[in-house]
Amino acid sequence: IGSDQNGENGVIGNIDDLRITIGNARYFSTFELPKYQISNVGRSTDVKLLLHFEGDNNSKTIVDRGVSKISTCNCLGNAEISSDKHRFGGSSLKLDGTNSVVEIPDSKINWPSSFYTSPFTIEGNFNFSDVSKSQVLINKNNSILIEYLTVPVKMLAFTLTATNNQTSRFEYQFDPTIDSWYHIALVK
């Protein structure tokens, strides 16, 4: 989360309330921007990862509230919890674009073999501190890539590569302003 697999092209800004849902497409034409923090999962087994990025300022400890209950989300580089900006709660994940990333072990999330043919939702709230550079928001082993691009035009790009190497790419013109929160979701 927050950069490509080499720690480059990273997010320059903050992320709050990141959720991965497998087996459920959460939003349709009746989408409304979330007004509250995503609640803890409770009995919902389709939420595989839920990161509120709550904690002490400068902390590198990330708590997963999804059903996978990952205990080893690694904040690498300058990635840290910050109370400077937050959409919900009192803090968010702060990334400076230089080797700042949260690493989530693939083995901790139960990615079913039917993942690419089943419904899913990957979503989070993003606040950009710099919109002049392209930035990788989420990257999963070169199979899921969500990025903000500045060339040839400012856009969000969503790329899915299935296990048979078939690639689907979706682009959406997107011109964010600095210091504003955006709910970005990939729903299939």
Side-chain angles (χ1 to χ4, degrees), residues 15 31 61 83 103 109 122-123 130-131 161 182 185:
I15 304 173
F31 171 76
T61 301
S83 60
E103 185 177 69
I109 298 177
I122 301 172
E123 64 183 312
D130 183 343
V131 294
T161 304
Y182 296 92

Side-chain angles (χ1 to χ4, degrees), residues 75-175:
C75 280
L76 305 175
N78 296 323
E80 64 186 16
I81 300 297
S82 172
S83 60
D84 293 345
K85 296 177 186 175
H86 49 86
R87 171 96 197 266
F88 302 112
S91 59
S92 65
L93 175 67
K94 182 179 181 181
L95 302 161
D96 67 4
T98 307
N99 264 345
S100 294
V101 64
V102 173
E103 185 177 69
I104 299 170
D106 232 13
S107 61
K108 298 293 184 180
I109 298 177
N110 182 19
W111 298 95
S113 58
S114 62
F115 175 73
Y116 297 97
T117 57
S118 298
F120 65 85
T121 304
I122 301 172
E123 64 183 312
N125 293 283
F126 296 83
N127 186 310
F128 299 94
S129 298
D130 183 343
V131 294
S132 67
K133 299 175 183 174
S134 294
Q135 302 171 40
V136 173
L137 309 180
I138 296 172
N139 187 15
K140 179 199 174 300
N141 296 340
N142 295 320
S143 62
I144 299 171
L145 179 62
I146 302 174
E147 55 192 333
Y148 163 67
L149 300 174
T150 57
V151 177
V153 296
K154 291 182 177 183
M155 73 173 85
L156 285 174
F158 304 91
T159 306
L160 298 173
T161 304
T163 53
N164 65 1
N165 289 324
Q166 181 179 356
T167 299
S168 300
R169 183 173 172 94
F170 308 93
E171 297 174 348
Y172 177 77
Q173 196 163 353
F174 176 64
D175 190 4

